[in-house]
Amino acid sequence: MASQRGGSVVVVGSCNMDMVTRAPRFPSAGEHLIATAFGTYLGGKGANQAIAAARAGASVAMVGRVGSDAFGTQMVVALAEAGIAVDAVAVDEGAPTGNASIWLDASGENRLLIFAGANGRVSPSDIRKQRVTIGAASVLLAQLEVPIDAIYEACTAARAAGVRVVLNAAPASPLPADLWTLIDVLVVNQTEAVALGGDIDAVHSSRVLVSKGVGTVVVTLGGAGCIVMPDINSDPIAISSFPVRSVVDTTGAGDAFCGAFAASLASGASVIDAARVGNAAGSLAVEVLGAIPSMPTLEQIQRRLQGR
Ligand code: RIB
């Protein structure tokens, strides 16, 4: 079975409020363009992936920071309502909840400007306080929207406890040399693969990343699915995606992939089967406006896997 209930995922990452403005096209520099719609949606790669993993059937704990403001309260309530353990989401008196200003065009493509806020204050000491929570999970799922020293601490703690480490290196930024060998599965899109691997070709780049000591590299390809690079000597395994009804908003599609992928791995699936589940989740997410609202349920994922 490619996707089933069970398994636990601990997510270390960001919590944002997404401010989404829609227009037929993106304005050019200096142009004043009239938008067609505006809305606020909960987001942040960490929170998106935590909700995606929970909706895909995992038992999830979230580690992160929000501000002591209305956005932070909304975030904690939404995570808790999704059944996610929020004891490790700290309320920071010294910084606002992170936010993202998002432009969305008629084809569902986006442009993002992210303000870290409280996410930028997640620290190694926050992580050390959550060693028991991290050690109790089957999978640690992290991204790069909180400081890298906190991510390093989380990966180290997970590894020491025998917890599988899945790092979504998004947005791409340089990683400490000794972090690579702590990563069981690295998930990147094509742009991130090229930025981190240094080769213009995503497949060559993923080989470079495996050679740095990463267990397995998964490169997501948007509507074309993903490739899995199991080791340095193997050929990449291409896993195709699923037909999409209509692309409304691509924001959070990669997060849907990562959350559902991690939930599937935590339930005992292979990387290949988990990547199929991730593809199904990503294809569903682009059909719905907003990041967290678009994260699909296990039932939706299973229907898409069956071609329904
Ligand atoms: O991956 C999409 C997410 O990136 C958005 O929800 C936004 O908050 C940024 O973190």
Side-chain angles (χ1 to χ4, degrees), residues 7 10 31 42 47 52 69 72 101 104 111 125 147 153 168 185 204 214 217 224 239 248 268 273 292:
V10 59
E31 182 185 12
L42 291 168
D69 47 34
S101 302
L104 207 57
R111 300 271 189 279
S125 133
E153 189 74 28
N168 173 218
V185 185
H204 291 159
V214 172
V217 175
I239 303 173
V248 175
D273 282 345
I292 281 182

mmCIF file of all heavy atoms in Angstrom, residues 7 10 31 42 47 52 69 72 101 104 111 125 147 153 168 185 204 214 217 224 239 248 268 273 292:
data_model
loop_
_atom_site.group_PDB
_atom_site.id
_atom_site.type_symbol
_atom_site.label_atom_id
_atom_site.label_comp_id
_atom_site.label_asym_id
_atom_site.label_seq_id
_atom_site.Cartn_x
_atom_site.Cartn_y
_atom_site.Cartn_z
ATOM 1 N N GLY A 7 2.578 6.211 11.612
ATOM 2 C CA GLY A 7 3.884 6.847 11.501
ATOM 3 C C GLY A 7 3.840 8.241 12.053
ATOM 4 O O GLY A 7 2.801 8.902 12.037
ATOM 5 N N VAL A 10 8.042 14.702 12.838
ATOM 6 C CA VAL A 10 8.269 15.962 13.537
ATOM 7 C C VAL A 10 8.789 16.964 12.503
ATOM 8 O O VAL A 10 9.701 16.662 11.735
ATOM 9 C CB VAL A 10 9.219 15.814 14.757
ATOM 10 C CG1 VAL A 10 10.579 15.271 14.372
ATOM 11 C CG2 VAL A 10 9.374 17.131 15.494
ATOM 12 N N GLU A 31 5.614 49.734 -12.813
ATOM 13 C CA GLU A 31 4.222 49.734 -13.285
ATOM 14 C C GLU A 31 3.240 49.630 -12.112
ATOM 15 O O GLU A 31 3.497 48.915 -11.139
ATOM 16 C CB GLU A 31 4.013 48.534 -14.223
ATOM 17 C CG GLU A 31 2.621 48.460 -14.807
ATOM 18 C CD GLU A 31 2.385 47.199 -15.644
ATOM 19 O OE1 GLU A 31 3.212 46.269 -15.591
ATOM 20 O OE2 GLU A 31 1.356 47.170 -16.336
ATOM 21 N N LEU A 42 -3.019 30.999 5.716
ATOM 22 C CA LEU A 42 -1.906 30.492 6.528
ATOM 23 C C LEU A 42 -0.926 29.752 5.627
ATOM 24 O O LEU A 42 -1.336 29.061 4.690
ATOM 25 C CB LEU A 42 -2.444 29.580 7.624
ATOM 26 C CG LEU A 42 -3.250 30.313 8.702
ATOM 27 C CD1 LEU A 42 -3.995 29.325 9.578
ATOM 28 C CD2 LEU A 42 -2.333 31.203 9.542
ATOM 29 N N ALA A 47 4.851 25.007 8.356
ATOM 30 C CA ALA A 47 3.442 24.762 8.696
ATOM 31 C C ALA A 47 2.729 24.046 7.557
ATOM 32 O O ALA A 47 1.938 23.126 7.789
ATOM 33 C CB ALA A 47 2.757 26.085 9.015
ATOM 34 N N ALA A 52 0.264 19.141 5.706
ATOM 35 C CA ALA A 52 0.211 18.132 4.632
ATOM 36 C C ALA A 52 0.461 16.737 5.199
ATOM 37 O O ALA A 52 -0.230 15.777 4.843
ATOM 38 C CB ALA A 52 1.231 18.459 3.546
ATOM 39 N N ASP A 69 0.946 37.728 18.179
ATOM 40 C CA ASP A 69 0.009 38.579 17.436
ATOM 41 C C ASP A 69 -1.118 37.709 16.878
ATOM 42 O O ASP A 69 -1.125 36.482 17.060
ATOM 43 C CB ASP A 69 0.759 39.324 16.308
ATOM 44 C CG ASP A 69 1.676 38.407 15.501
ATOM 45 O OD1 ASP A 69 1.317 37.229 15.312
ATOM 46 O OD2 ASP A 69 2.766 38.852 15.051
ATOM 47 N N GLY A 72 -0.109 34.813 14.641
ATOM 48 C CA GLY A 72 0.479 33.706 15.397
ATOM 49 C C GLY A 72 -0.612 32.858 16.050
ATOM 50 O O GLY A 72 -0.563 31.621 16.019
ATOM 51 N N SER A 101 4.554 37.988 1.108
ATOM 52 C CA SER A 101 3.757 38.732 0.147
ATOM 53 C C SER A 101 3.840 37.960 -1.159
ATOM 54 O O SER A 101 4.938 37.727 -1.674
ATOM 55 C CB SER A 101 4.332 40.133 -0.054
ATOM 56 O OG SER A 101 4.366 40.792 1.197
ATOM 57 N N LEU A 104 0.166 36.378 -7.578
ATOM 58 C CA LEU A 104 -0.292 35.204 -8.309
ATOM 59 C C LEU A 104 -0.837 35.663 -9.657
ATOM 60 O O LEU A 104 -1.669 36.580 -9.700
ATOM 61 C CB LEU A 104 -1.430 34.586 -7.490
ATOM 62 C CG LEU A 104 -1.722 33.105 -7.585
ATOM 63 C CD1 LEU A 104 -0.488 32.293 -7.240
ATOM 64 C CD2 LEU A 104 -2.850 32.785 -6.603
ATOM 65 N N ARG A 111 5.117 34.843 -7.406
ATOM 66 C CA ARG A 111 6.343 35.556 -7.012
ATOM 67 C C ARG A 111 6.210 35.792 -5.512
ATOM 68 O O ARG A 111 5.168 36.274 -5.069
ATOM 69 C CB ARG A 111 6.452 36.925 -7.690
ATOM 70 C CG ARG A 111 6.485 36.906 -9.198
ATOM 71 C CD ARG A 111 7.922 36.784 -9.705
ATOM 72 N NE ARG A 111 8.021 36.978 -11.138
ATOM 73 C CZ ARG A 111 7.752 36.046 -12.047
ATOM 74 N NH1 ARG A 111 7.329 34.859 -11.685
ATOM 75 N NH2 ARG A 111 7.886 36.292 -13.332
ATOM 76 N N SER A 125 18.979 26.211 20.801
ATOM 77 C CA SER A 125 18.487 25.929 22.156
ATOM 78 C C SER A 125 17.005 25.537 22.120
ATOM 79 O O SER A 125 16.573 24.650 22.870
ATOM 80 C CB SER A 125 18.802 27.138 23.040
ATOM 81 O OG SER A 125 17.722 27.522 23.783
ATOM 82 N N PRO A 147 16.741 29.444 10.883
ATOM 83 C CA PRO A 147 18.211 29.497 10.806
ATOM 84 C C PRO A 147 18.877 28.119 10.686
ATOM 85 O O PRO A 147 18.442 27.153 11.300
ATOM 86 C CB PRO A 147 18.588 30.207 12.110
ATOM 87 C CG PRO A 147 17.392 31.069 12.406
ATOM 88 C CD PRO A 147 16.203 30.240 11.992
ATOM 89 N N GLU A 153 21.153 21.413 14.297
ATOM 90 C CA GLU A 153 20.913 20.807 15.619
ATOM 91 C C GLU A 153 19.820 19.737 15.521
ATOM 92 O O GLU A 153 19.935 18.661 16.104
ATOM 93 C CB GLU A 153 20.497 21.917 16.593
ATOM 94 C CG GLU A 153 20.424 21.513 18.043
ATOM 95 C CD GLU A 153 21.782 21.322 18.691
ATOM 96 O OE1 GLU A 153 22.754 21.960 18.251
ATOM 97 O OE2 GLU A 153 21.853 20.513 19.650
ATOM 98 N N ASN A 168 14.073 19.333 3.070
ATOM 99 C CA ASN A 168 13.635 20.047 1.866
ATOM 100 C C ASN A 168 14.468 21.335 1.845
ATOM 101 O O ASN A 168 14.185 22.257 2.618
ATOM 102 C CB ASN A 168 12.122 20.331 1.967
ATOM 103 C CG ASN A 168 11.604 21.213 0.862
ATOM 104 O OD1 ASN A 168 10.743 22.057 1.083
ATOM 105 N ND2 ASN A 168 12.083 21.031 -0.349
ATOM 106 N N VAL A 185 17.126 11.763 3.087
ATOM 107 C CA VAL A 185 16.511 12.110 1.807
ATOM 108 C C VAL A 185 16.515 13.631 1.663
ATOM 109 O O VAL A 185 15.993 14.340 2.526
ATOM 110 C CB VAL A 185 15.054 11.602 1.702
ATOM 111 C CG1 VAL A 185 14.504 11.886 0.297
ATOM 112 C CG2 VAL A 185 14.946 10.116 2.012
ATOM 113 N N HIS A 204 22.592 15.836 -13.186
ATOM 114 C CA HIS A 204 24.010 15.870 -12.799
ATOM 115 C C HIS A 204 24.157 16.463 -11.410
ATOM 116 O O HIS A 204 24.936 15.992 -10.581
ATOM 117 C CB HIS A 204 24.829 16.693 -13.806
ATOM 118 C CG HIS A 204 24.941 16.023 -15.133
ATOM 119 N ND1 HIS A 204 25.244 16.685 -16.291
ATOM 120 C CD2 HIS A 204 24.775 14.723 -15.481
ATOM 121 C CE1 HIS A 204 25.251 15.827 -17.298
ATOM 122 N NE2 HIS A 204 24.980 14.642 -16.825
ATOM 123 N N VAL A 214 24.669 12.608 0.929
ATOM 124 C CA VAL A 214 23.219 12.486 1.128
ATOM 125 C C VAL A 214 22.795 11.066 0.763
ATOM 126 O O VAL A 214 23.314 10.493 -0.195
ATOM 127 C CB VAL A 214 22.488 13.489 0.204
ATOM 128 C CG1 VAL A 214 20.991 13.269 0.227
ATOM 129 C CG2 VAL A 214 22.834 14.912 0.588
ATOM 130 N N VAL A 217 18.521 11.529 -3.239
ATOM 131 C CA VAL A 217 18.079 12.865 -3.650
ATOM 132 C C VAL A 217 16.806 12.731 -4.476
ATOM 133 O O VAL A 217 16.730 11.896 -5.380
ATOM 134 C CB VAL A 217 19.169 13.591 -4.469
ATOM 135 C CG1 VAL A 217 18.654 14.930 -4.998
ATOM 136 C CG2 VAL A 217 20.419 13.810 -3.621
ATOM 137 N N ALA A 224 5.733 17.696 -14.126
ATOM 138 C CA ALA A 224 6.354 16.505 -14.730
ATOM 139 C C ALA A 224 6.698 15.442 -13.684
ATOM 140 O O ALA A 224 7.358 14.447 -14.007
ATOM 141 C CB ALA A 224 7.590 16.909 -15.506
ATOM 142 N N ILE A 239 9.517 9.422 -11.875
ATOM 143 C CA ILE A 239 8.182 9.073 -11.374
ATOM 144 C C ILE A 239 7.223 10.145 -11.864
ATOM 145 O O ILE A 239 7.359 11.324 -11.490
ATOM 146 C CB ILE A 239 8.187 8.981 -9.832
ATOM 147 C CG1 ILE A 239 9.240 7.951 -9.414
ATOM 148 C CG2 ILE A 239 6.814 8.604 -9.308
ATOM 149 C CD1 ILE A 239 9.469 7.862 -7.959
ATOM 150 N N VAL A 248 -4.713 26.451 -10.309
ATOM 151 C CA VAL A 248 -5.227 27.688 -9.712
ATOM 152 C C VAL A 248 -4.103 28.436 -8.998
ATOM 153 O O VAL A 248 -3.988 29.654 -9.096
ATOM 154 C CB VAL A 248 -6.367 27.355 -8.715
ATOM 155 C CG1 VAL A 248 -6.839 28.604 -7.981
ATOM 156 C CG2 VAL A 248 -7.522 26.685 -9.434
ATOM 157 N N GLY A 268 6.051 3.556 6.566
ATOM 158 C CA GLY A 268 6.777 2.350 6.159
ATOM 159 C C GLY A 268 6.946 2.182 4.665
ATOM 160 O O GLY A 268 7.483 1.174 4.211
ATOM 161 N N ASP A 273 7.637 4.638 -3.547
ATOM 162 C CA ASP A 273 6.182 4.710 -3.302
ATOM 163 C C ASP A 273 5.814 6.038 -2.644
ATOM 164 O O ASP A 273 4.782 6.634 -2.959
ATOM 165 C CB ASP A 273 5.728 3.542 -2.431
ATOM 166 C CG ASP A 273 5.606 2.252 -3.224
ATOM 167 O OD1 ASP A 273 5.600 2.330 -4.481
ATOM 168 O OD2 ASP A 273 5.519 1.170 -2.617
ATOM 169 N N ILE A 292 -2.007 26.484 2.922
ATOM 170 C CA ILE A 292 -2.557 25.473 3.839
ATOM 171 C C ILE A 292 -3.925 24.967 3.378
ATOM 172 O O ILE A 292 -4.179 23.757 3.431
ATOM 173 C CB ILE A 292 -2.537 25.999 5.300
ATOM 174 C CG1 ILE A 292 -1.105 25.843 5.826
ATOM 175 C CG2 ILE A 292 -3.561 25.276 6.179
ATOM 176 C CD1 ILE A 292 -0.849 26.242 7.246
#
